[in-house]
Amino acid sequence: MAMVCLSDFEAYAKKYLPKVAWDYFAAGADDCTTRDENILAYKRIRFRPRMLRDVSVVDIRTKILGSEISFPVGIAPTGFHQLAWPDGEKSTARAARAMNTCYIASTYSTRTLEEISTAAPGGLRWFQLYIHRNRAASQQLVQRAEASGFQGLVLTADLPYTGKRRDDVRNGFRLPPHMKVKNLEGAFEVCKMSLLDPSVTWNDIYWLRSLTRLPIIIKGILTREDAELAVKHGVQGIIVSNHGGRQLDEGPATIDALVEVVEAVRGRVEVYVDGGIRKGSDVLKALALGAKCVFIGRPALWGLAYKGEEGLQDVLRILQDEFRLSMALAGCASVSEIGQHLVQFSRL
Amino acid sequence: MAMVCLSDFEAYAKKYLPKVAWDYFAAGADDCTTRDENILAYKRIRFRPRMLRDVSVVDIRTKILGSEISFPVGIAPTGFHQLAWPDGEKSTARAARAMNTCYIASTYSTRTLEEISTAAPGGLRWFQLYIHRNRAASQQLVQRAEASGFQGLVLTADLPYTGKRRDDVRNGFRLPPHMKVKNLEGAFEVCKMSLLDPSVTWNDIYWLRSLTRLPIIIKGILTREDAELAVKHGVQGIIVSNHGGRQLDEGPATIDALVEVVEAVRGRVEVYVDGGIRKGSDVLKALALGAKCVFIGRPALWGLAYKGEEGLQDVLRILQDEFRLSMALAGCASVSEIGQHLVQFSRL
Amino acid sequence: MAMVCLSDFEAYAKKYLPKVAWDYFAAGADDCTTRDENILAYKRIRFRPRMLRDVSVVDIRTKILGSEISFPVGIAPTGFHQLAWPDGEKSTARAARAMNTCYIASTYSTRTLEEISTAAPGGLRWFQLYIHRNRAASQQLVQRAEASGFQGLVLTADLPYTGKRRDDVRNGFRLPPHMKVKNLEGAFEVCKMSLLDPSVTWNDIYWLRSLTRLPIIIKGILTREDAELAVKHGVQGIIVSNHGGRQLDEGPATIDALVEVVEAVRGRVEVYVDGGIRKGSDVLKALALGAKCVFIGRPALWGLAYKGEEGLQDVLRILQDEFRLSMALAGCASVSEIGQHLVQFSRL
Amino acid sequence: MAMVCLSDFEAYAKKYLPKVAWDYFAAGADDCTTRDENILAYKRIRFRPRMLRDVSVVDIRTKILGSEISFPVGIAPTGFHQLAWPDGEKSTARAARAMNTCYIASTYSTRTLEEISTAAPGGLRWFQLYIHRNRAASQQLVQRAEASGFQGLVLTADLPYTGKRRDDVRNGFRLPPHMKVKNLEGAFEVCKMSLLDPSVTWNDIYWLRSLTRLPIIIKGILTREDAELAVKHGVQGIIVSNHGGRQLDEGPATIDALVEVVEAVRGRVEVYVDGGIRKGSDVLKALALGAKCVFIGRPALWGLAYKGEEGLQDVLRILQDEFRLSMALAGCASVSEIGQHLVQFSRL
């Protein structure tokens, strides 16, 4: 079976992963409307490609928070990579480093953040954080992340409670006994997520700020109002995200929300987006609409499910090739030439 | 079979109810366009969820016409509950009381309003009324309702004649011989509904007013013009409704009409809506667009068909949990924080 | 099989007519886009129904060019009724008279106009005319129509050549040998239609005017420019029509074109519409948008195919009942109360 | 099997061509969105047909760059005609001459341009050119084309690299060993296209201009900005094209881009369009929106696959008949009467 595009990896993962694991990765909240909209919304954006520009060299490199990455696609934080591949997040870390891009490791990894660090020394990594009811536990995680060489803290803002993913409820999803949420002490029940603190507010950013010198990136912003608040509270970056459509169903597609957020931010901090990226041209659209970089969630898991580290590299390499080709065919020789003039919203 | 969301109850009811009963409950007028639009219209509304607000406590209680209910979802008036469950409306009344919400009992119940009252003393109930050609009969019903402790009168305005529901015509639908429309004297032929008075006009509200001290709620309003007339004629509440798409096909979806009615009413009376509610997030959308409370019709019947009183409680509990979760994920800690800023109409 | 709505007759005709005849009646030009759009466009129009108006009596009668008809639905001109029922147009004439409405007999009838007249004396009938290369032949038809008691002349404007109906080409459609286009002399090849004059212009209306005292109705107008020309050239009525989608594919749906034509005509002549009427509520929509009356084509043929005269009466009676009910449910007690306030175009 | 419309030829080709050849011709880039949009966009355009205009004679002839053609449909450049029919481009040339229209021969023909010329002396032909890294090779091709009687040079601007056509990658598409890209020296690998020069810019138009007296037509323009640059750099014509949706997926449909380009060009040079033409009425729409002529790609290949020269003539003749009929039914007696008033964009 030739792996030509990301859907090939999706088909592979659906076929070979245990159903419960596939369902968990694929799940969206309620009717899965937003999960699917994330993808459909890209299809409503049309390119306005320009011709006869010298694209003999196409430079796809970019920088996020000052660090160069080989192209503007990183790995979004997702949990439980061992469900996809035995080595779990260690493979993810190695693939990201090999492809010279950024990996956001999740609190809910099946490997400790120290193991992740050790697996791929020198890679660019950020650490994703939930704030727990036990603040000391969160503080400890932040300090471990900083000590292990993570270069950014990603605070997830859209999960005061876990969204209702019907298949997970039907399956009674929980981690197999031989896997552990190793960053957290003792046993942990996923379906309850009862450790998370739903009373978190914007003021807790100041508290987080007081714990670390790492840049803080906030993930899960979908409105101009919250984008304004994020800037005001001193974050260094915003990830426009709806948690892959796994939290509040029938919120906006992230590529649509990106437009609103970018407009509100007016360049004061970097803006990223995740959700629905399936082709190199999706990356080009996101950058044209103002994203500095995109992050992929499920496609990374499909890559892991295919062949671990190697499979994830395949996924990244395909996106890289497609992105470079899309840029060339749209008439862009470097990331700095990408702008809003390249796209328009379709009438349909 | 796990009952995870309302569609599970629908599937159960479709599978286990006699076809004629299922068809009667499911029926829409003509091509069933409006019946289906009631649901589809909700899907065109997108949330604008807000993050990092303290949602550690989410208060979902509200009041309708001064009475507190546990959450803003009541039971809409529908006929012939014995078709769904042997105890009929007695089970409905018990479930509504157990969940501390409002039940609007239909004139076309298979239990008398006195039986309904006795089944669940102390529950909040309104009585739904058609005006009959024999005005004395209607007057008697109003007085019985008031005497039995019903706390509101719901006048249905959209049924001068019964809509054309093709399956009912094909099935030659009528009540099985052992069931009776017990609130009315003697035999009663559903398909003719010849007892109803199609000459009713707005002035009859004054007549109704003269019969009772109960608040009058008018059900079936879809335009700003009629909303204005309703306020002018002194009703206490308006239910935006198209009778579940069973009357005039190709009228507006109720959630679309709600916007127009709320704008016209300008807070002078309470506005409710029924039709198309299938998820807790639909309730949140309706409240964001100005409804004080929503009412469910067919889902209540599915609950009854599943397990009578217990099944209906299951349905209400699922809606309650989903509504609470939606509020939290949208950043609302109490019903008073819900507003129009939470939603936008999708471009599609 | 219960005949509950017009689709039931369509299903019957499709099942029992010879394929070639069904294909001929069902045919649209090219991709059949306009044929299908005629129906879909009605579904994009939403009612704004009004409540609590006295609809104990609903008067559905109207007048066209001064003649009263029992309700605003007539029979559009279609050819070759013997393909549907042995008695052909004689049955059509009898059914129209029995239902007290107007029948527009086609030049391409399989019965002479005199036979049609004799079959149902006293019925309201108009005669549909094509202008032939042999003008004397057309003149003769006009004079025969007037002599036979037809009360209007309908000039078809949209068929300088026959549209390309792929199935007819594949089937090599032609009339069976025992049927004849009896109004015209000698043999006649449908697929060529070579007798028609493609050089006809607006000035020929004056010529037609000089031949007869009958009112002239022009059929096939779709734009405001042509509506203006029609009024200027002195016609008494306009039928907005795209020939059931059988001529130029991808023109407008007739109900959409009606809006433009009615606006241009400003009440100076009566405007009618055909194409896509399948329910009583479609009639209500057409009248709300300014039509004085609608005409049905294919549904009349389905009625004939079902049971001849009796079947066509069934079709008309169903439309009549549905139209009356729609009026009542929309709050209209007479045709004069129908207006544009009753409808709005859906966002979708 | 009757060949009634172009889809019949498509079905034939899909059935009888080797899968690899069919896939190559049918391929679109990535998800094939733009390939399919080219067709769908035509369906969103509605005619505004005019009635009662003398269409007894319909003159469908037109001129492109001063040369008369029998109707405004030419053959777009496509590669490898031997994959469809043994005689390859020689048959194409003969069919185009027989139908008196223009054939744009591709650089990637399986016959030399001299063979093409010799096969059909006197036919109107343009030569399509890519600029190669080896400029001398391109110069030689230009001079051979001019010497062989080609009357125009078509520079393809949208292929600095080949688009990603998934099926070709899966099939490992390459020419069968007995076919050659005969215009180019030595072996040639299609999937790499590594001979093309991705550094070409607008200034290279001046270089091309210096090599030949032939008019230069630029193919692949989709935006007003590039249309303006094309005029400024002195081309004689513009073909609005997205390479049949084979290059950058999710660019605009060509008929949509045509509107923007025509507006920018303001009549200074001729504008043509290719992509999505499947019916005579599509041609009429393109001309109404300002195209001087359209070009067909895949349908020409289907005609070749059906019966070589004869099959392609069948395709052209069907388009011709359909175009003439569409003109007549829209009320146009000559190409000069076609204008923007004939069309409107559908609300859907």
Side-chain angles (χ1 to χ4, degrees):
Chain A
M1 183 185 187
M3 305 310 267
V4 174
C5 59
L6 267 54
S7 324
D8 294 333
F9 293 83
E10 181 178 20
Y12 183 97
K14 184 165 190 180
K15 188 167 174 191
Y16 291 105
L17 280 181
K19 181 181 182 311
V20 169
W22 167 261
D23 281 355
Y24 173 74
F25 289 144
D30 297 317
D31 289 326
C32 301
T33 303
T34 294
R35 179 194 68 181
D36 298 340
E37 266 289 296
N38 276 349
I39 293 173
L40 291 171
Y42 276 100
K43 297 194 183 301
R44 291 193 289 265
I45 300 170
R46 293 274 164 273
F47 286 112
R48 305 186 70 252
R50 303 295 306 276
M51 303 300 146
L52 298 189
R53 298 158 77 101
D54 178 351
V55 288
S56 51
V57 177
V58 177
D59 184 355
I60 62 177
R61 290 169 304 167
T62 194
K63 285 186 175 173
I64 51 174
L65 297 183
S67 301
E68 185 176 299
I69 49 180
S70 66
F71 77 126
V73 177
I75 313 290
T78 51
F80 312 148
H81 290 195
Q82 281 193 311
L83 286 175
W85 189 255
D87 258 9
E89 289 78 6
K90 289 161 65 176
S91 297
T92 316
R94 286 190 208 107
R97 188 187 55 179
M99 294 297 294
N100 191 19
T101 191
C102 179
Y103 164 36
I104 310 180
S106 166
T107 291
Y108 292 105
S109 295
T110 43
R111 297 292 178 187
T112 63
L113 51 86
E114 289 82 4
E115 288 173 313
I116 292 170
S117 264
T118 310
L124 175 62
R125 276 183 296 277
W126 295 348
F127 184 71
Q128 178 273 337
L129 187 79
Y130 292 109
I131 298 184
H132 292 83
R133 293 180 196 269
N134 178 348
R135 295 289 170 106
S138 293
Q139 175 169 357
Q140 205 179 22
L141 276 175
V142 170
Q143 287 159 348
R144 284 167 60 195
E146 189 164 355
S148 305
F150 286 81
Q151 297 178 37
L153 262 190
V154 174
L155 176 68
T156 296
D158 60 4
L159 204 138
Y161 303 94
T162 305
K164 180 172 180 178
R165 304 156 197 172
R166 294 176 187 168
D167 283 345
D168 286 351
V169 181
R170 291 184 213 284
N171 295 336
F173 173 77
R174 55 178 59 221
L175 272 188
H178 61 284
M179 298 184 198
K180 298 267 177 286
V181 181
K182 294 180 76 176
N183 281 322
L184 304 168
E185 294 174 7
F188 178 75
E189 294 191 23
V190 167
C191 290
K192 297 254 183 69
M193 285 264 176
S194 54
L195 304 178
L196 301 190
D197 184 354
S199 77
V200 173
T201 66
W202 289 100
N203 283 329
D204 291 298
I205 305 259
Y206 299 132
W207 169 73
L208 205 57
R209 178 76 295 150
S210 75
L211 302 180
T212 179
R213 288 158 315 183
L214 292 180
I216 296 172
I217 302 101
I218 189 161
K219 173 170 174 281
I221 299 305
L222 293 168
T223 60
R224 69 173 63 81
E225 294 91 332
D226 280 347
E228 186 61 52
L229 285 168
V231 173
K232 189 177 144 200
H233 285 82
V235 304
Q236 274 70 46
I238 292 173
I239 304 182
V240 175
S241 172
N242 50 33
H243 218 108
R246 297 161 79 86
Q247 288 295 102
L248 181 64
D249 197 25
E250 300 181 2
T254 48
I255 191 67
D256 290 336
L258 176 69
V259 176
E260 169 171 342
V261 168
V262 164
E263 206 173 83
V265 163
R266 283 176 286 121
R268 291 173 287 172
V269 303
E270 295 191 351
V271 180
Y272 321 107
V273 67
D274 68 19
I277 300 282
R278 296 295 180 268
K279 300 192 293 184
S281 58
D282 295 337
V283 184
L284 181 55
K285 288 177 180 177
L287 266 66
L289 292 170
K292 184 77 179 167
C293 176
V294 309
F295 292 90
I296 56 169
R298 294 184 184 92
L301 296 164
W302 305 334
L304 285 177
Y306 176 55
K307 279 194 189 171
E309 174 185 343
E310 194 184 329
L312 176 48
Q313 283 192 52
D314 289 346
V315 162
L316 289 167
R317 205 172 292 115
I318 285 175
L319 274 179
Q320 209 172 59
D321 290 344
E322 288 181 348
F323 175 60
R324 186 186 294 109
L325 180 58
S326 296
M327 279 184 63
L329 297 182
C332 300
S334 77
V335 163
S336 65
E337 294 179 16
I338 301 172
Q340 213 175 328
H341 59 277
L342 279 185
V343 292
Q344 62 191 343
F345 285 85
S346 137
R347 278 177 302 154
L348 285 198
Chain B
M1 183 186 184
M3 305 309 268
V4 174
C5 59
L6 266 55
S7 324
D8 294 333
F9 292 83
E10 181 177 21
Y12 183 97
K14 184 165 190 179
K15 188 166 174 191
Y16 290 105
L17 280 182
K19 181 181 182 311
V20 170
W22 167 261
D23 282 355
Y24 173 74
F25 290 143
D30 297 317
D31 289 325
C32 301
T33 303
T34 294
R35 178 194 66 181
D36 298 340
E37 267 288 297
N38 276 350
I39 293 173
L40 292 171
Y42 276 100
K43 298 194 182 300
R44 290 193 290 266
I45 300 170
R46 293 275 164 272
F47 286 112
R48 307 185 69 251
R50 303 295 305 276
M51 303 299 146
L52 297 189
R53 298 158 77 99
D54 178 350
V55 288
S56 50
V57 176
V58 178
D59 184 353
I60 62 176
R61 290 170 303 165
T62 193
K63 284 185 177 175
I64 52 174
L65 296 183
S67 301
E68 186 177 299
I69 50 179
S70 66
F71 78 127
V73 176
I75 312 291
T78 52
F80 313 148
H81 290 194
Q82 281 193 311
L83 286 175
W85 188 255
D87 258 8
E89 288 79 3
K90 289 161 65 175
S91 297
T92 316
R94 284 189 210 108
R97 188 187 55 179
M99 294 298 293
N100 191 21
T101 191
C102 179
Y103 163 34
I104 310 180
S106 166
T107 291
Y108 293 103
S109 294
T110 43
R111 297 292 178 187
T112 64
L113 50 87
E114 289 81 4
E115 288 173 314
I116 293 170
S117 263
T118 310
L124 174 63
R125 275 183 296 277
W126 295 348
F127 185 71
Q128 177 273 337
L129 187 79
Y130 291 109
I131 298 184
H132 292 83
R133 293 180 196 268
N134 178 346
R135 295 289 172 108
S138 291
Q139 176 170 356
Q140 205 180 24
L141 276 175
V142 170
Q143 287 160 349
R144 284 168 60 196
E146 189 163 354
S148 305
F150 284 81
Q151 297 179 35
L153 262 190
V154 175
L155 176 68
T156 296
D158 61 2
L159 205 137
Y161 303 95
T162 305
K164 182 173 179 177
R165 304 156 197 173
R166 293 175 187 168
D167 282 346
D168 286 351
V169 181
R170 291 184 214 283
N171 294 337
F173 173 77
R174 57 177 57 221
L175 273 188
H178 60 286
M179 297 184 199
K180 298 267 177 284
V181 181
K182 294 181 77 176
N183 282 321
L184 304 169
E185 295 172 7
F188 177 75
E189 293 189 22
V190 168
C191 291
K192 296 249 185 74
M193 285 263 175
S194 54
L195 305 176
L196 300 190
D197 184 354
S199 76
V200 173
T201 67
W202 289 101
N203 283 330
D204 291 298
I205 306 259
Y206 298 133
W207 168 74
L208 205 58
R209 179 78 293 152
S210 74
L211 302 180
T212 178
R213 289 158 315 184
L214 291 179
I216 295 173
I217 301 100
I218 189 161
K219 173 170 174 280
I221 299 305
L222 293 167
T223 60
R224 68 174 63 82
E225 295 91 331
D226 280 346
E228 186 61 52
L229 285 169
V231 172
K232 189 177 144 198
H233 286 82
V235 304
Q236 274 69 47
I238 292 173
I239 304 182
V240 174
S241 172
N242 51 32
H243 218 107
R246 297 161 78 86
Q247 289 295 102
L248 181 65
D249 198 25
E250 300 181 3
T254 49
I255 190 68
D256 289 336
L258 176 69
V259 176
E260 168 171 343
V261 168
V262 163
E263 207 173 82
V265 163
R266 283 176 287 121
R268 291 173 288 172
V269 303
E270 295 190 352
V271 179
Y272 320 107
V273 68
D274 69 19
I277 300 282
R278 296 295 179 267
K279 300 192 294 186
S281 59
D282 295 336
V283 184
L284 181 56
K285 288 177 180 176
L287 266 66
L289 292 169
K292 183 76 178 166
C293 175
V294 309
F295 292 91
I296 56 169
R298 293 183 184 93
L301 296 164
W302 305 334
L304 286 177
Y306 176 56
K307 279 193 188 170
E309 173 186 342
E310 195 185 327
L312 176 47
Q313 283 191 53
D314 289 346
V315 162
L316 288 166
R317 205 172 292 114
I318 286 175
L319 274 178
Q320 209 172 59
D321 290 345
E322 288 181 347
F323 175 61
R324 186 186 295 108
L325 180 57
S326 296
M327 278 184 61
L329 297 182
C332 299
S334 77
V335 164
S336 64
E337 294 180 16
I338 301 172
Q340 213 175 328
H341 57 276
L342 279 185
V343 291
Q344 63 190 343
F345 284 85
S346 138
R347 279 176 301 153
L348 285 198
Chain C
M1 184 187 185
M3 304 309 268
V4 174
C5 59
L6 266 55
S7 325
D8 295 332
F9 293 83
E10 181 177 21
Y12 183 97
K14 185 164 189 180
K15 188 166 174 192
Y16 290 105
L17 280 182
K19 182 182 183 310
V20 170
W22 167 261
D23 281 355
Y24 173 73
F25 290 144
D30 297 317
D31 289 327
C32 301
T33 303
T34 294
R35 179 194 65 180
D36 298 340
E37 267 288 296
N38 276 349
I39 292 173
L40 292 171
Y42 276 101
K43 297 194 184 300
R44 289 193 290 265
I45 300 170
R46 293 273 163 274
F47 286 114
R48 306 185 69 251
R50 303 296 305 277
M51 303 300 146
L52 297 189
R53 298 157 77 101
D54 178 350
V55 288
S56 51
V57 177
V58 178
D59 185 353
I60 62 176
R61 290 170 303 169
T62 193
K63 284 185 176 174
I64 52 174
L65 297 183
S67 301
E68 186 177 299
I69 50 179
S70 66
F71 78 127
V73 176
I75 312 290
T78 52
F80 312 149
H81 290 194
Q82 281 193 313
L83 286 175
W85 189 255
D87 259 8
E89 289 79 4
K90 289 160 65 175
S91 297
T92 317
R94 284 190 209 108
R97 189 187 54 178
M99 293 298 293
N100 191 20
T101 190
C102 178
Y103 164 33
I104 309 180
S106 166
T107 291
Y108 292 103
S109 294
T110 43
R111 297 293 178 186
T112 64
L113 49 87
E114 290 82 4
E115 290 173 311
I116 293 170
S117 263
T118 310
L124 175 63
R125 275 182 296 277
W126 295 348
F127 185 72
Q128 177 273 336
L129 188 79
Y130 292 109
I131 298 184
H132 291 84
R133 294 181 195 269
N134 177 349
R135 295 288 170 109
S138 292
Q139 177 171 356
Q140 207 180 21
L141 276 175
V142 170
Q143 288 159 347
R144 284 167 60 195
E146 189 164 356
S148 305
F150 284 82
Q151 296 179 36
L153 262 190
V154 175
L155 176 69
T156 296
D158 61 1
L159 204 138
Y161 304 95
T162 304
K164 181 173 180 176
R165 304 156 197 172
R166 293 175 187 168
D167 283 345
D168 286 351
V169 180
R170 290 184 214 283
N171 294 337
F173 173 76
R174 56 178 58 222
L175 273 188
H178 61 287
M179 297 185 199
K180 297 268 177 282
V181 181
K182 294 181 75 176
N183 282 322
L184 303 169
E185 295 172 5
F188 178 74
E189 293 190 23
V190 167
C191 290
K192 297 252 182 70
M193 284 264 177
S194 56
L195 304 176
L196 300 190
D197 184 354
S199 77
V200 173
T201 67
W202 289 100
N203 283 330
D204 291 297
I205 306 260
Y206 299 132
W207 168 75
L208 204 58
R209 178 78 293 151
S210 73
L211 303 180
T212 177
R213 289 158 314 184
L214 292 180
I216 295 172
I217 301 100
I218 189 161
K219 173 170 175 281
I221 299 305
L222 292 167
T223 60
R224 68 174 64 83
E225 295 90 332
D226 280 347
E228 187 61 54
L229 285 168
V231 172
K232 188 177 143 198
H233 285 82
V235 304
Q236 273 69 46
I238 292 173
I239 304 182
V240 174
S241 172
N242 51 33
H243 218 107
R246 297 161 77 86
Q247 289 294 103
L248 181 65
D249 197 26
E250 301 182 0
T254 49
I255 191 66
D256 289 336
L258 176 69
V259 175
E260 167 171 344
V261 168
V262 162
E263 206 174 81
V265 163
R266 284 177 286 119
R268 290 174 287 172
V269 303
E270 295 191 352
V271 179
Y272 321 108
V273 68
D274 70 18
I277 299 282
R278 296 294 180 268
K279 299 191 294 185
S281 58
D282 294 336
V283 183
L284 181 55
K285 287 177 181 177
L287 266 68
L289 293 169
K292 184 76 179 166
C293 176
V294 310
F295 293 90
I296 57 170
R298 292 182 186 93
L301 296 163
W302 304 335
L304 285 177
Y306 175 56
K307 279 193 188 172
E309 174 185 343
E310 195 184 328
L312 177 47
Q313 283 191 54
D314 289 346
V315 162
L316 289 166
R317 205 172 291 115
I318 285 174
L319 274 178
Q320 210 172 58
D321 290 345
E322 288 181 348
F323 175 59
R324 186 187 295 109
L325 180 57
S326 296
M327 279 183 62
L329 297 182
C332 300
S334 78
V335 164
S336 64
E337 294 180 16
I338 301 171
Q340 213 175 329
H341 58 277
L342 279 185
V343 292
Q344 62 189 342
F345 284 85
S346 138
R347 279 176 300 154
L348 285 200
Chain D
M1 183 187 186
M3 305 309 267
V4 173
C5 59
L6 267 55
S7 324
D8 295 333
F9 293 83
E10 181 177 20
Y12 183 97
K14 184 165 190 179
K15 187 166 173 191
Y16 291 105
L17 280 181
K19 182 183 182 310
V20 169
W22 166 262
D23 281 355
Y24 173 74
F25 290 144
D30 298 317
D31 289 326
C32 301
T33 303
T34 294
R35 178 195 67 181
D36 298 339
E37 266 289 298
N38 277 349
I39 293 174
L40 291 170
Y42 276 101
K43 297 194 184 300
R44 289 193 290 264
I45 300 170
R46 294 274 164 273
F47 286 114
R48 305 186 69 253
R50 303 296 305 276
M51 303 299 146
L52 298 190
R53 298 157 76 101
D54 179 350
V55 289
S56 51
V57 177
V58 177
D59 185 353
I60 62 177
R61 290 170 303 168
T62 193
K63 285 186 176 173
I64 51 174
L65 297 183
S67 301
E68 186 177 298
I69 50 179
S70 66
F71 77 126
V73 177
I75 312 291
T78 52
F80 313 148
H81 289 195
Q82 282 194 312
L83 286 175
W85 189 256
D87 259 9
E89 289 78 6
K90 289 160 65 173
S91 297
T92 316
R94 287 191 208 106
R97 188 187 53 178
M99 294 297 294
N100 190 21
T101 191
C102 178
Y103 164 35
I104 310 180
S106 166
T107 290
Y108 292 105
S109 294
T110 43
R111 298 291 178 187
T112 64
L113 50 86
E114 289 82 4
E115 289 173 311
I116 292 170
S117 263
T118 309
L124 175 63
R125 274 183 296 277
W126 295 349
F127 185 72
Q128 177 273 337
L129 188 79
Y130 292 108
I131 297 183
H132 291 85
R133 293 179 194 271
N134 178 348
R135 295 290 171 107
S138 292
Q139 176 169 358
Q140 205 179 23
L141 276 174
V142 170
Q143 287 160 347
R144 284 167 61 194
E146 189 164 355
S148 305
F150 285 82
Q151 297 178 37
L153 263 189
V154 175
L155 177 68
T156 295
D158 60 3
L159 204 138
Y161 304 94
T162 304
K164 180 172 181 178
R165 303 156 197 172
R166 294 175 188 168
D167 283 345
D168 285 351
V169 180
R170 291 184 213 284
N171 295 337
F173 174 75
R174 54 178 59 221
L175 272 187
H178 61 286
M179 298 184 198
K180 296 269 178 283
V181 181
K182 294 181 74 176
N183 282 321
L184 304 168
E185 295 174 6
F188 178 76
E189 294 191 22
V190 168
C191 289
K192 297 254 181 71
M193 286 263 177
S194 55
L195 304 178
L196 301 189
D197 185 353
S199 77
V200 173
T201 67
W202 289 100
N203 283 330
D204 292 296
I205 306 260
Y206 298 132
W207 167 74
L208 204 57
R209 178 77 294 150
S210 75
L211 301 180
T212 178
R213 289 158 315 183
L214 291 180
I216 296 172
I217 301 100
I218 190 159
K219 173 170 174 281
I221 299 305
L222 292 168
T223 60
R224 67 173 64 82
E225 295 90 332
D226 280 347
E228 187 61 54
L229 285 169
V231 172
K232 189 178 144 198
H233 285 82
V235 304
Q236 274 69 46
I238 292 172
I239 305 182
V240 174
S241 172
N242 51 33
H243 219 107
R246 297 161 79 85
Q247 289 295 102
L248 181 64
D249 197 27
E250 301 181 359
T254 49
I255 190 67
D256 289 336
L258 176 69
V259 175
E260 167 170 344
V261 168
V262 163
E263 208 174 81
V265 164
R266 283 177 286 121
R268 290 174 288 172
V269 303
E270 295 190 353
V271 180
Y272 321 107
V273 67
D274 69 18
I277 300 281
R278 295 295 180 268
K279 300 191 294 184
S281 58
D282 295 337
V283 184
L284 181 55
K285 288 176 180 176
L287 266 67
L289 292 169
K292 184 78 179 166
C293 176
V294 309
F295 292 91
I296 56 169
R298 293 183 185 93
L301 296 164
W302 305 334
L304 286 177
Y306 176 55
K307 280 193 188 171
E309 173 185 344
E310 194 184 329
L312 177 47
Q313 283 192 54
D314 289 346
V315 162
L316 288 166
R317 205 172 292 114
I318 285 174
L319 273 179
Q320 210 172 57
D321 291 344
E322 289 181 347
F323 175 60
R324 186 188 294 109
L325 180 58
S326 296
M327 279 183 63
L329 297 182
C332 299
S334 78
V335 163
S336 65
E337 294 179 16
I338 301 171
Q340 212 174 329
H341 58 277
L342 280 185
V343 292
Q344 63 190 343
F345 284 85
S346 137
R347 278 177 301 152
L348 286 199

